Amino acid sequence: MSEMSEFSQSNVAVFGLGYVGSVTAACLASVGHRVVGIDSDLHKIECLNSGKAPFFEPGLEGIIRECAASGRLSATASAAEALADADVALVCVGTPSERNGNLGLDQLRRVCEGIAAASADRMKPLVVAIRSTVFPGTCDEVVIPILAKCPAITVVANPEFLREGVAVDDFLFPSLLVVGGHDPASVARVAGLYAGLPTESCLVTLRTAEMIKYACNAFHAVKIAFANEIGALSGQLGVDGQEVMATLCKDVKLNASKAYLRPGFAFGGSCLPKDLRALSYRANRLDVEIPLINAALPSNREHLDRAIRAVVDSGAKKIGIIGLTFKENTDDLRESPVLAMVEHLIGKGSDLRIFDPHVNMDTIYGSNRNFLLNAIPHIGRLLEAKLETLLGWADQLVVTQKPTAEGMQGIMRSGLPVIDLVGASTGPRVAVVMH
Ligand SMILES: NC(=O)c1ccc[n+]([C@@H]2O[C@H](COP(=O)([O-])OP(=O)(O)OC[C@H]3O[C@@H](n4cnc5c(N)ncnc54)[C@H](O)[C@@H]3O)[C@@H](O)[C@H]2O)c1
């Protein structure tokens, strides 16, 4: 969900004046808020109070100088002093890796304990917004329990997406603004801090706000690794990788777009698996390591296995599968992951029936028919020509492709539990949603 917020000046305390905190404090002051920064490092405090940036970041020093001079920006080592007038406390301390890769929460815990100690008798409402990158559940399990003794305090997650080197520009022209929390008024309060910026805030749940930061960084890393693997392989093939990727990006319908970016069922069909296999084979022969691209097929298989486990674990006696082809509106059955699922379930002795509006043994022919009969020789006996018949027979539905609106209504009306593998429905009857 997204919402326009009204700008109103707030008193903001920013805990941690590192790369994120300094930029956040300075830029919020520059758009009109009164900001006090807090850090345990006295050098950073002195820098801010004397109008200097504590480290190099293009454009930052000018903003700090101007805002410190105007009195809208100052810094202190005292949490109590910074919190006295604050409406919002933004926590921007480090969350470095521990030796085992897990997230280190020491700085976060210490700051929250400091806020709690300084707010024991507090009456004025305070929203504590966690801007540090924290794993989903951290606010609920770590931050909120520490602050629970202070009834005036509520907690939201408000991750930061700026990039060092262009941090000021990223802050003032955000690629994404996200605020999530249990209390809508507190979420709106923090979204209001950014109302003067040209990007609307996405208001989401607390854990989504925590997770989105990881999703974004993982996505960026995967994009970079993908482009580098295509570049390396192209180079070995005597092809200009820059031209290949620049051309790939010209496709804003399927490539640089929302397409294929929703969690759903495993991919299949006549092209993706075949072409990935060919690419892996060639790269291997050329001694070019492409581990990311090589991982796509095993990842897809794992996703299929998750779906199979969900069906098996349902314990259903009569399984009605809706959709047999690898996606809706086609009768192409080649490498459909549903066929692999059906084969597996039959092997386990499951009783199942299948409805697919485009698969009819009387009309499919050629390689498509051979593929189907090779996979499941007695498939004809499992196919139902009408959705209603399937709905009347089954005690568990598995939706593997998006049904028509009419089909969806029938499914919901049936009252049957649904394992929804494509995110087709989120109604109360959905017993298991995979994503
Ligand atoms: N650096 C980035 O580009 C970037 C971008 C987006 C998000 N993040 C995330 O933002 C968070 C902060 O990152 P950073 O790079 O600004 O970290 P940083 O290490 O540069 O800054 C952390 C600051 O917190 C201060 N601090 C630590 N404990 C404190 C305490 N108890 N009280 C007061 N101050 C304390 C430190 O002195 C330091 O100045 C991390 O979770 C990081 O993952 C970073």
Side-chain angles (χ1 to χ4, degrees), residues 362-399:
D362 299 335
T363 52
I364 59 168
Y365 67 100
S367 62
N368 209 14
R369 186 183 175 89
N370 292 340
F371 189 86
L372 180 59
L373 289 174
N374 268 340
I376 308 165
H378 57 289
I379 186 78
R381 277 188 270 140
L382 304 179
L383 285 172
E384 294 289 1
K386 290 199 168 135
L387 177 60
E388 294 73 48
T389 323
L390 185 92
L391 296 178
W393 172 83
D395 63 16
Q396 169 74 57
L397 298 178
V398 181
V399 177

Short mmCIF file of all heavy atoms in Angstrom, two decimals, residues 362-399:
data_model
loop_
_atom_site.label_atom_id
_atom_site.label_comp_id
_atom_site.label_asym_id
_atom_site.label_seq_id
_atom_site.Cartn_x
_atom_site.Cartn_y
_atom_site.Cartn_z
N ASP A 362 -8.53 -35.61 -26.64
CA ASP A 362 -9.05 -35.73 -28.01
C ASP A 362 -8.40 -34.73 -28.95
O ASP A 362 -8.43 -34.90 -30.17
CB ASP A 362 -10.57 -35.49 -28.03
CG ASP A 362 -11.27 -36.54 -27.18
OD1 ASP A 362 -10.68 -37.64 -27.03
OD2 ASP A 362 -12.37 -36.25 -26.67
N THR A 363 -7.87 -33.64 -28.40
CA THR A 363 -7.37 -32.59 -29.30
C THR A 363 -5.85 -32.41 -29.27
O THR A 363 -5.29 -31.91 -30.23
CB THR A 363 -8.03 -31.22 -28.98
OG1 THR A 363 -7.87 -30.97 -27.59
CG2 THR A 363 -9.50 -31.22 -29.32
N ILE A 364 -5.18 -32.80 -28.17
CA ILE A 364 -3.71 -32.60 -28.20
C ILE A 364 -3.08 -33.73 -29.03
O ILE A 364 -3.56 -34.85 -29.05
CB ILE A 364 -3.06 -32.53 -26.80
CG1 ILE A 364 -3.30 -33.78 -25.98
CG2 ILE A 364 -3.51 -31.31 -26.05
CD1 ILE A 364 -2.43 -33.81 -24.72
N TYR A 365 -2.02 -33.39 -29.75
CA TYR A 365 -1.42 -34.37 -30.64
C TYR A 365 0.09 -34.12 -30.76
O TYR A 365 0.62 -33.21 -30.15
CB TYR A 365 -2.09 -34.30 -32.02
CG TYR A 365 -1.83 -33.02 -32.74
CD1 TYR A 365 -0.85 -32.95 -33.75
CD2 TYR A 365 -2.49 -31.85 -32.40
CE1 TYR A 365 -0.59 -31.76 -34.40
CE2 TYR A 365 -2.22 -30.66 -33.04
CZ TYR A 365 -1.28 -30.62 -34.03
OH TYR A 365 -1.00 -29.45 -34.65
N GLY A 366 0.74 -34.94 -31.56
CA GLY A 366 2.16 -34.76 -31.88
C GLY A 366 3.05 -34.90 -30.65
O GLY A 366 2.77 -35.69 -29.74
N SER A 367 4.13 -34.08 -30.61
CA SER A 367 5.14 -34.22 -29.56
C SER A 367 4.53 -33.92 -28.19
O SER A 367 4.92 -34.50 -27.17
CB SER A 367 6.31 -33.29 -29.83
OG SER A 367 5.88 -31.96 -29.81
N ASN A 368 3.55 -33.04 -28.19
CA ASN A 368 2.89 -32.68 -26.94
C ASN A 368 2.19 -33.90 -26.32
O ASN A 368 2.32 -34.20 -25.14
CB ASN A 368 1.87 -31.58 -27.26
CG ASN A 368 1.64 -30.66 -26.07
OD1 ASN A 368 2.40 -30.67 -25.13
ND2 ASN A 368 0.58 -29.89 -26.14
N ARG A 369 1.45 -34.64 -27.19
CA ARG A 369 0.72 -35.84 -26.75
C ARG A 369 1.72 -36.93 -26.30
O ARG A 369 1.54 -37.55 -25.26
CB ARG A 369 -0.14 -36.35 -27.90
CG ARG A 369 -1.05 -37.49 -27.52
CD ARG A 369 -1.83 -37.99 -28.74
NE ARG A 369 -2.61 -39.15 -28.39
CZ ARG A 369 -3.85 -39.10 -27.93
NH1 ARG A 369 -4.45 -37.94 -27.78
NH2 ARG A 369 -4.49 -40.20 -27.62
N ASN A 370 2.79 -37.09 -27.11
CA ASN A 370 3.79 -38.11 -26.77
C ASN A 370 4.44 -37.81 -25.43
O ASN A 370 4.64 -38.69 -24.61
CB ASN A 370 4.88 -38.18 -27.85
CG ASN A 370 4.30 -38.72 -29.14
OD1 ASN A 370 3.24 -39.35 -29.12
ND2 ASN A 370 4.97 -38.45 -30.25
N PHE A 371 4.75 -36.51 -25.23
CA PHE A 371 5.40 -36.11 -23.99
C PHE A 371 4.51 -36.47 -22.80
O PHE A 371 4.95 -37.04 -21.80
CB PHE A 371 5.68 -34.60 -24.01
CG PHE A 371 6.52 -34.14 -22.87
CD1 PHE A 371 7.91 -34.20 -22.94
CD2 PHE A 371 5.95 -33.68 -21.69
CE1 PHE A 371 8.70 -33.81 -21.87
CE2 PHE A 371 6.73 -33.29 -20.62
CZ PHE A 371 8.10 -33.35 -20.72
N LEU A 372 3.22 -36.17 -22.96
CA LEU A 372 2.27 -36.42 -21.87
C LEU A 372 2.13 -37.91 -21.60
O LEU A 372 2.20 -38.37 -20.46
CB LEU A 372 0.92 -35.80 -22.25
CG LEU A 372 -0.20 -35.95 -21.24
CD1 LEU A 372 0.20 -35.32 -19.90
CD2 LEU A 372 -1.48 -35.28 -21.73
N LEU A 373 1.97 -38.69 -22.67
CA LEU A 373 1.74 -40.12 -22.49
C LEU A 373 3.00 -40.83 -21.97
O LEU A 373 2.91 -41.80 -21.22
CB LEU A 373 1.25 -40.75 -23.79
CG LEU A 373 -0.19 -40.34 -24.14
CD1 LEU A 373 -0.59 -40.87 -25.51
CD2 LEU A 373 -1.19 -40.81 -23.08
N ASN A 374 4.17 -40.30 -22.36
CA ASN A 374 5.41 -40.86 -21.83
C ASN A 374 5.51 -40.63 -20.34
O ASN A 374 5.95 -41.50 -19.58
CB ASN A 374 6.64 -40.20 -22.49
CG ASN A 374 7.06 -40.99 -23.69
OD1 ASN A 374 6.72 -42.16 -23.81
ND2 ASN A 374 7.80 -40.34 -24.59
N ALA A 375 5.12 -39.42 -19.92
CA ALA A 375 5.23 -39.06 -18.50
C ALA A 375 4.21 -39.84 -17.68
O ALA A 375 4.53 -40.43 -16.65
CB ALA A 375 5.04 -37.56 -18.31
N ILE A 376 2.96 -39.84 -18.13
CA ILE A 376 1.88 -40.48 -17.35
C ILE A 376 0.98 -41.25 -18.33
O ILE A 376 0.02 -40.70 -18.88
CB ILE A 376 1.05 -39.42 -16.59
CG1 ILE A 376 1.99 -38.51 -15.79
CG2 ILE A 376 0.03 -40.06 -15.67
CD1 ILE A 376 1.36 -37.26 -15.31
N PRO A 377 1.28 -42.53 -18.55
CA PRO A 377 0.58 -43.28 -19.61
C PRO A 377 -0.95 -43.29 -19.46
O PRO A 377 -1.66 -43.22 -20.45
CB PRO A 377 1.17 -44.69 -19.46
CG PRO A 377 2.50 -44.49 -18.79
CD PRO A 377 2.34 -43.29 -17.91
N HIS A 378 -1.46 -43.37 -18.24
CA HIS A 378 -2.91 -43.46 -18.09
C HIS A 378 -3.52 -42.11 -17.72
O HIS A 378 -4.53 -42.03 -17.03
CB HIS A 378 -3.27 -44.51 -17.03
CG HIS A 378 -2.64 -44.24 -15.70
ND1 HIS A 378 -1.29 -44.39 -15.49
CD2 HIS A 378 -3.16 -43.82 -14.53
CE1 HIS A 378 -1.03 -44.07 -14.22
NE2 HIS A 378 -2.15 -43.71 -13.63
N ILE A 379 -2.90 -41.02 -18.24
CA ILE A 379 -3.34 -39.67 -17.88
C ILE A 379 -4.82 -39.45 -18.20
O ILE A 379 -5.53 -38.73 -17.49
CB ILE A 379 -2.46 -38.60 -18.58
CG1 ILE A 379 -2.81 -37.19 -18.12
CG2 ILE A 379 -2.55 -38.68 -20.09
CD1 ILE A 379 -2.26 -36.83 -16.82
N GLY A 380 -5.28 -40.10 -19.31
CA GLY A 380 -6.67 -39.89 -19.75
C GLY A 380 -7.66 -40.15 -18.62
O GLY A 380 -8.66 -39.44 -18.48
N ARG A 381 -7.37 -41.14 -17.79
CA ARG A 381 -8.30 -41.49 -16.70
C ARG A 381 -8.31 -40.45 -15.58
O ARG A 381 -9.23 -40.44 -14.77
CB ARG A 381 -7.89 -42.85 -16.11
CG ARG A 381 -8.44 -44.01 -16.92
CD ARG A 381 -8.17 -45.30 -16.18
NE ARG A 381 -6.88 -45.85 -16.59
CZ ARG A 381 -6.00 -46.42 -15.78
NH1 ARG A 381 -6.23 -46.51 -14.49
NH2 ARG A 381 -4.88 -46.91 -16.23
N LEU A 382 -7.26 -39.62 -15.54
CA LEU A 382 -7.16 -38.66 -14.43
C LEU A 382 -7.75 -37.29 -14.79
O LEU A 382 -7.98 -36.46 -13.92
CB LEU A 382 -5.70 -38.47 -14.03
CG LEU A 382 -4.93 -39.73 -13.63
CD1 LEU A 382 -3.49 -39.40 -13.28
CD2 LEU A 382 -5.62 -40.41 -12.44
N LEU A 383 -7.94 -37.06 -16.10
CA LEU A 383 -8.39 -35.74 -16.54
C LEU A 383 -9.89 -35.58 -16.38
O LEU A 383 -10.66 -36.45 -16.80
CB LEU A 383 -8.01 -35.51 -18.01
CG LEU A 383 -6.53 -35.22 -18.29
CD1 LEU A 383 -6.28 -35.22 -19.80
CD2 LEU A 383 -6.10 -33.89 -17.68
N GLU A 384 -10.30 -34.48 -15.79
CA GLU A 384 -11.73 -34.14 -15.72
C GLU A 384 -11.99 -33.04 -16.74
O GLU A 384 -11.23 -32.07 -16.82
CB GLU A 384 -12.09 -33.60 -14.32
CG GLU A 384 -11.98 -34.60 -13.19
CD GLU A 384 -13.06 -35.67 -13.22
OE1 GLU A 384 -13.90 -35.65 -14.15
OE2 GLU A 384 -13.05 -36.52 -12.33
N ALA A 385 -13.05 -33.19 -17.50
CA ALA A 385 -13.34 -32.19 -18.54
C ALA A 385 -13.96 -30.93 -17.94
O ALA A 385 -13.91 -29.85 -18.54
CB ALA A 385 -14.27 -32.78 -19.59
N LYS A 386 -14.59 -31.09 -16.77
CA LYS A 386 -15.28 -29.92 -16.18
C LYS A 386 -14.74 -29.64 -14.78
O LYS A 386 -14.58 -30.57 -13.96
CB LYS A 386 -16.77 -30.20 -16.06
CG LYS A 386 -17.46 -30.23 -17.39
CD LYS A 386 -18.94 -30.05 -17.18
CE LYS A 386 -19.62 -29.78 -18.49
NZ LYS A 386 -20.83 -30.53 -18.66
N LEU A 387 -14.54 -28.36 -14.50
CA LEU A 387 -14.05 -27.96 -13.17
C LEU A 387 -15.03 -28.40 -12.09
O LEU A 387 -14.64 -28.88 -11.03
CB LEU A 387 -13.84 -26.43 -13.14
CG LEU A 387 -13.38 -25.85 -11.80
CD1 LEU A 387 -12.04 -26.43 -11.37
CD2 LEU A 387 -13.28 -24.32 -11.88
N GLU A 388 -16.36 -28.25 -12.39
CA GLU A 388 -17.37 -28.58 -11.36
C GLU A 388 -17.24 -30.04 -10.92
O GLU A 388 -17.41 -30.37 -9.75
CB GLU A 388 -18.81 -28.37 -11.88
CG GLU A 388 -19.17 -26.92 -12.17
CD GLU A 388 -18.49 -26.41 -13.43
OE1 GLU A 388 -18.53 -27.12 -14.45
OE2 GLU A 388 -17.87 -25.33 -13.37
N THR A 389 -16.95 -30.92 -11.89
CA THR A 389 -16.83 -32.35 -11.54
C THR A 389 -15.67 -32.54 -10.59
O THR A 389 -15.75 -33.28 -9.60
CB THR A 389 -16.59 -33.18 -12.83
OG1 THR A 389 -17.35 -32.62 -13.89
CG2 THR A 389 -16.95 -34.63 -12.62
N LEU A 390 -14.56 -31.87 -10.90
CA LEU A 390 -13.38 -31.98 -10.03
C LEU A 390 -13.69 -31.45 -8.62
O LEU A 390 -13.35 -32.08 -7.61
CB LEU A 390 -12.22 -31.17 -10.63
CG LEU A 390 -10.89 -31.28 -9.88
CD1 LEU A 390 -10.06 -32.41 -10.48
CD2 LEU A 390 -10.10 -29.99 -9.97
N LEU A 391 -14.40 -30.30 -8.59
CA LEU A 391 -14.73 -29.69 -7.29
C LEU A 391 -15.65 -30.59 -6.48
O LEU A 391 -15.57 -30.64 -5.25
CB LEU A 391 -15.37 -28.32 -7.49
CG LEU A 391 -14.49 -27.25 -8.16
CD1 LEU A 391 -15.26 -25.95 -8.35
CD2 LEU A 391 -13.23 -26.98 -7.35
N GLY A 392 -16.51 -31.33 -7.17
CA GLY A 392 -17.44 -32.22 -6.48
C GLY A 392 -16.74 -33.47 -5.95
O GLY A 392 -17.20 -34.10 -5.00
N TRP A 393 -15.62 -33.83 -6.55
CA TRP A 393 -14.92 -35.07 -6.17
C TRP A 393 -13.86 -34.86 -5.09
O TRP A 393 -13.72 -35.65 -4.16
CB TRP A 393 -14.28 -35.66 -7.44
CG TRP A 393 -13.38 -36.83 -7.17
CD1 TRP A 393 -13.74 -38.14 -7.01
CD2 TRP A 393 -11.95 -36.79 -6.99
NE1 TRP A 393 -12.64 -38.93 -6.75
CE2 TRP A 393 -11.52 -38.12 -6.73
CE3 TRP A 393 -11.00 -35.77 -7.02
CZ2 TRP A 393 -10.18 -38.44 -6.51
CZ3 TRP A 393 -9.67 -36.10 -6.81
CH2 TRP A 393 -9.27 -37.42 -6.55
N ALA A 394 -13.10 -33.75 -5.21
CA ALA A 394 -11.87 -33.59 -4.40
C ALA A 394 -12.15 -33.26 -2.94
O ALA A 394 -13.21 -32.74 -2.60
CB ALA A 394 -11.02 -32.48 -5.00
N ASP A 395 -11.17 -33.56 -2.07
CA ASP A 395 -11.23 -33.02 -0.70
C ASP A 395 -10.09 -32.03 -0.45
O ASP A 395 -9.97 -31.47 0.63
CB ASP A 395 -11.26 -34.13 0.37
CG ASP A 395 -10.00 -34.99 0.38
OD1 ASP A 395 -8.98 -34.57 -0.20
OD2 ASP A 395 -10.05 -36.08 0.98
N GLN A 396 -9.26 -31.83 -1.49
CA GLN A 396 -8.15 -30.86 -1.38
C GLN A 396 -7.85 -30.36 -2.79
O GLN A 396 -7.75 -31.17 -3.72
CB GLN A 396 -6.91 -31.55 -0.81
CG GLN A 396 -5.62 -30.74 -0.89
CD GLN A 396 -5.58 -29.60 0.12
OE1 GLN A 396 -5.71 -29.81 1.32
NE2 GLN A 396 -5.44 -28.38 -0.37
N LEU A 397 -7.74 -29.04 -2.94
CA LEU A 397 -7.40 -28.49 -4.26
C LEU A 397 -5.95 -28.02 -4.27
O LEU A 397 -5.44 -27.52 -3.27
CB LEU A 397 -8.31 -27.32 -4.61
CG LEU A 397 -9.80 -27.64 -4.71
CD1 LEU A 397 -10.59 -26.35 -5.02
CD2 LEU A 397 -10.07 -28.69 -5.79
N VAL A 398 -5.33 -28.17 -5.44
CA VAL A 398 -3.98 -27.63 -5.65
C VAL A 398 -4.06 -26.76 -6.90
O VAL A 398 -4.34 -27.26 -7.99
CB VAL A 398 -2.94 -28.75 -5.85
CG1 VAL A 398 -1.54 -28.15 -6.04
CG2 VAL A 398 -2.95 -29.72 -4.67
N VAL A 399 -3.87 -25.46 -6.74
CA VAL A 399 -3.98 -24.54 -7.88
C VAL A 399 -2.57 -24.27 -8.41
O VAL A 399 -1.73 -23.71 -7.70
CB VAL A 399 -4.68 -23.22 -7.46
CG1 VAL A 399 -4.72 -22.25 -8.63
CG2 VAL A 399 -6.08 -23.51 -6.96
#
